[in-house]
Amino acid sequence: MNENIRVLLLTSMSERGVNMTPPIGLHRLRFYLAQRGISCDVVDFAIEDSDKSLLDVKRGLYHIIGIQVTHFQIITDLELLWLYKDASRQCRHNVLMIAGGQEATMNHKQWLEVGIDLIGLGFAEKVMYEIASIMATHITDAGPKAPIDVGQLFGELNGVAFLDNHGQAVYRPAQHMDEDEFRQLNYNQVKKMDIPHLEYWELVRAQRADLFVTGERRYTYETVRLYTSSHCPRRCGFCSSQNFFPISLGQKSPILMLTASEVFDLIIYHIETYGAKAFLFTDDDFAVGNRSGLERFKNLCNIIIAGKKSGQIPAELRFIFQARIADFLIRTNDTKKQHEINFELLDLISTAGFRNVGLGVETFSENLLFAPSINKRVTSKACHDVINAMLKRKMVPQIYIIIGIPESSCEELVDSMDAAIDYMDKGCDVGMVTQLRAYPGSPLVQNPEYKIAYKSWQHPDTGKIHKFMDYFIPGDPVMKVVAANIKEEALVELEKAVSDNNLDDTTIWPKSLIGVTAFMAAARLLNRMDVYNRYESYLDRSISMTN
């Protein structure tokens, strides 16, 4: 190991229980650096506090601190940044503060203006090693207390962003990544890494509430997350995931993905190494949505089915994935029949054990599905048809609904919430987003017709007030009030449900409980107590069945 340099990697300060799984990206980066002689530690605030690592920073143990920032938790992450930045000022040498991840790449200028020294763009393993190597040489040649001139030291690297001496943002796109490099990071390297899955499984087992667990709707603690593709192919108006990888490269890029055989090999590896009983594919759209992606999905299903029949993998092994309604549609030339359900694909994936599927439905309104903010380009009928076809195959769709869609009317919101509650009665889960977030890099933030609400934060050194995009403001005056207050009121309803049902308030709550209580809050803000009472009755009935 290079004794002159040590790196500390920090997760975002997420809300309790949101990401109670190992931060695979940071562990992948840690392993990449360690394999090349750079000592590196990971702190995950989902399972530990900041006390020890802050003390280590003050003692001068680290020379680089990297933070995986988010836009959703931007104010909390800013507080985290300055907590560690202030601690680094107490040590005996200068410390380089680096940010990485989707938010850092898409919103690099703002993060550089608020305290980050350097940003690693896109898949940043290679450039992080280059940065650490340059820092080690700098410390050896100039001494640990020498100033860090970011432009001079790192200005020739690809895959970084920084402010020059005039305060102007410099953005140097990452080098093109091919399939071999992607495979090395997400397949070859993953099979060599030591990930603390067992520790996380025990923590979740001790803290998660077993609510809304009926029939096929159940939770498997021994679940491993896998990433198998580079970025999302879809063009949802509110989402920036589609642009993250291309923007980091400064050019368009095809979607890179592991083969079906490689994915199956990772499944076997995690079963044999950790005892995994379920796998969560965290790709934004596991089916990818194009011909090669769907063929990969089918090939993987056939390999899994054969593996279960031969005893190579357990017959009860379950798979969870994210997809879009369009993945399960076959377009037709019949003007009276805009789509057909791909029953063959649904039969295949359900047979293979793909039981739980996160569906970004967002709304059941025909108007909103085609609105610029959502841009799903599928009909409401298609959404219902696909969900019902999944339910017939004993699959568990988790339907994601957005409450504060900017074009939405009050009735469109109620109709979508009603549909979601009805589907929960049939065996679905529900995930909820309170507001339509204004993410840097998303298509909608480029549209001047949509108004954005902002968050404010004061820089602790300069006193300057910085404003950050928060969410899109609905046009309907009542929906505008709903969007402005839904986060706080949803928390009130969740706390009330916890108190009324004598639940442990340290528990990790299922998304369905969070979703239903948020629907109740929305109904109350709409002054629709008839709707509120209906949802409350459903909540009480569901908790009594599983409590």
Side-chain angles (χ1 to χ4, degrees):
M1 288 290 177
N2 190 328
E3 299 298 329
N4 288 338
I5 192 78
R6 192 176 184 93
V7 178
L8 176 65
L9 300 176
L10 308 173
T11 63
S12 171
M13 190 72 80
S14 297
E15 295 176 346
R16 177 172 59 87
V18 171
N19 292 308
M20 189 63 85
T21 57
I24 302 299
L26 294 188
H27 281 287
R28 189 178 67 191
L29 178 53
R30 174 188 60 79
F31 181 84
Y32 187 95
L33 294 176
Q35 287 289 98
R36 291 156 179 81
I38 305 295
S39 295
C40 183
D41 299 313
V42 171
V43 174
D44 181 2
F45 296 110
I47 65 170
E48 57 187 302
D49 60 32
S50 60
D51 293 350
K52 182 181 182 303
S53 56
L54 280 173
L55 183 60
D56 288 338
V57 170
K58 293 175 183 178
R59 291 195 299 114
L61 186 62
Y62 300 106
H63 306 84
I64 297 174
I65 299 176
I67 304 178
Q68 186 182 42
V69 296
T70 66
H71 199 73
F72 176 68
Q73 291 285 102
I74 194 165
I75 301 300
T76 306
D77 286 348
L78 284 165
E79 293 171 354
L80 178 69
L81 162 64
W82 277 89
L83 184 66
Y84 279 83
K85 196 174 183 72
D86 285 341
S88 72
R89 289 172 171 176
Q90 301 179 41
C91 78
R92 61 181 180 270
H93 57 252
N94 291 310
V95 175
L96 184 69
M97 305 296 293
I98 299 181
Q102 185 166 309
E103 161 67 7
T105 295
M106 311 294 269
N107 196 22
H108 63 278
K109 188 173 186 295
Q110 279 200 299
W111 280 100
L112 292 168
E113 291 173 342
V114 297
I116 289 294
D117 300 316
L118 188 65
I119 286 174
L121 305 174
F123 292 93
E125 282 82 359
K126 181 179 179 182
V127 74
M128 275 294 290
Y129 171 66
E130 293 173 335
I131 291 167
S133 299
I134 291 171
M135 273 290 289
T137 301
H138 175 66
I139 291 168
T140 300
D141 294 346
K145 295 184 179 180
I148 302 172
D149 187 323
V150 174
Q152 183 179 4
L153 289 174
F154 312 110
E156 297 302 314
L157 294 179
N158 294 313
V160 295
F162 58 91
L163 296 181
D164 64 18
N165 292 331
H166 303 289
Q168 298 299 309
V170 177
Y171 188 94
R172 291 182 57 82
Q175 289 183 316
H176 175 73
M177 174 180 281
D178 59 26
E179 288 190 350
D180 287 339
E181 292 173 289
F182 181 80
R183 184 176 297 108
Q184 179 63 34
L185 290 177
N186 294 280
Y187 172 67
N188 297 337
Q189 183 173 286
V190 170
K191 294 173 66 177
K192 301 175 184 176
M193 293 163 51
D194 181 21
I195 306 295
H197 289 295
L198 276 65
E199 178 184 351
Y200 281 78
W201 294 343
E202 289 307 311
L203 286 168
V204 175
R205 189 185 302 278
Q207 296 182 37
R208 190 179 192 278
D210 284 326
L211 301 173
F212 298 92
V213 180
T214 56
E216 292 293 324
R217 194 166 60 186
R218 59 182 185 269
Y219 186 85
T220 303
Y221 295 101
E222 300 85 355
T223 298
V224 165
R225 289 192 302 160
L226 294 178
Y227 294 88
T228 72
S229 59
S230 60
H231 60 293
C232 185
R234 301 299 181 180
R235 301 291 298 173
C236 302
F238 59 88
C239 186
S240 61
S241 294
Q242 59 198 275
N243 292 325
F244 164 57
F245 190 49
I247 284 179
S248 72
L249 301 175
Q251 60 182 312
K252 292 183 178 179
S253 172
I255 295 173
L256 308 175
M257 54 186 171
L258 302 180
T259 66
S261 296
E262 288 165 345
V263 175
F264 185 69
D265 197 28
L266 288 178
I267 291 169
I268 293 176
Y269 168 77
H270 285 88
I271 292 172
E272 293 177 346
T273 306
Y274 301 102
K277 296 180 180 178
F279 290 86
L280 168 59
F281 297 105
T282 49
D283 310 84
D284 287 294
D285 184 359
F286 182 67
V288 179
N290 57 28
R291 181 175 298 177
S292 58
L294 289 171
E295 283 303 312
R296 181 187 76 148
F297 200 176
K298 293 175 184 177
N299 291 339
L300 177 60
C301 287
N302 286 322
I303 294 172
I304 289 171
I305 291 168
K308 288 185 174 183
K309 285 182 179 179
S310 68
Q312 190 178 14
I313 58 176
E316 65 275 11
L317 195 65
R318 296 172 71 93
F319 301 98
I320 307 136
F321 68 109
Q322 298 185 106
R324 302 294 178 263
I325 293 294
D327 293 327
F328 307 101
L329 300 178
I330 301 173
R331 299 295 180 183
T332 71
N333 294 322
D334 187 346
T335 56
K336 296 181 180 180
K337 192 176 184 181
Q338 295 180 343
H339 68 265
E340 292 180 352
I341 305 300
N342 192 337
F343 294 114
E344 179 183 354
L345 178 60
L346 287 173
D347 287 338
L348 185 62
I349 65 176
S350 61
T351 301
F354 284 84
R355 293 295 185 185
N356 300 74
V357 51
L359 288 175
V361 175
E362 325 305 358
T363 175
F364 286 98
S365 162
E366 187 87 4
N367 169 54
L368 298 179
L369 285 166
F370 286 85
S373 68
I374 303 301
N375 196 40
K376 293 293 181 179
R377 316 304 295 177
V378 296
T379 65
S380 179
K381 182 179 185 303
C383 295
H384 288 292
D385 287 350
V386 168
I387 293 169
N388 285 316
M390 288 179 170
L391 287 170
K392 287 181 180 179
R393 286 154 180 80
K394 297 184 178 180
M395 295 174 66
V396 183
Q398 182 170 78
I399 303 168
Y400 287 93
I401 296 294
I402 300 174
I403 290 177
I405 297 174
E407 302 96 337
S408 179
S409 68
C410 300
E411 285 307 312
E412 284 174 316
L413 173 57
V414 171
D415 288 347
S416 289
M417 294 191 300
D418 280 349
I421 293 292
D422 288 344
Y423 276 124
M424 288 187 71
D425 249 345
K426 297 176 182 178
C428 290
D429 279 327
V430 166
M432 170 281 313
V433 178
T434 52
Q435 300 155 321
L436 195 77
R437 296 282 174 185
Y439 288 112
S442 67
L444 203 61
V445 298
Q446 309 300 323
N447 191 331
E449 296 181 9
Y450 288 81
K451 296 181 179 180
I452 298 173
Y454 288 81
K455 294 178 180 179
S456 296
W457 175 82
Q458 186 174 22
H459 196 292
D461 276 357
T462 67
K464 180 181 178 180
I465 301 297
H466 293 262
K467 292 189 175 182
F468 302 92
M469 294 187 298
D470 190 5
Y471 66 91
F472 291 100
I473 301 172
D476 181 279
V478 178
M479 285 297 301
K480 181 178 179 180
V481 173
V482 172
N485 296 280
I486 185 63
K487 282 185 65 179
E488 292 76 14
E489 294 304 315
L491 182 59
V492 169
E493 290 295 340
L494 177 60
E495 292 175 345
K496 180 176 182 295
V498 169
S499 176
D500 290 350
N501 292 279
N502 297 315
L503 301 175
D504 185 350
D505 63 4
T506 63
T507 298
I508 300 171
W509 306 119
K511 288 183 179 179
S512 288
L513 174 63
I514 298 171
V516 175
T517 52
F519 289 171
M520 292 167 60
R524 182 159 50 80
L525 288 167
L526 291 169
N527 198 27
R528 289 291 304 272
M529 295 311 295
D530 58 323
V531 177
Y532 179 95
N533 293 334
R534 190 162 68 247
Y535 297 168
E536 185 179 42
S537 176
Y538 172 78
L539 178 65
D540 292 341
R541 186 171 74 252
S542 298
I543 291 178
S544 66
M545 289 173 60
T546 55
N547 195 4

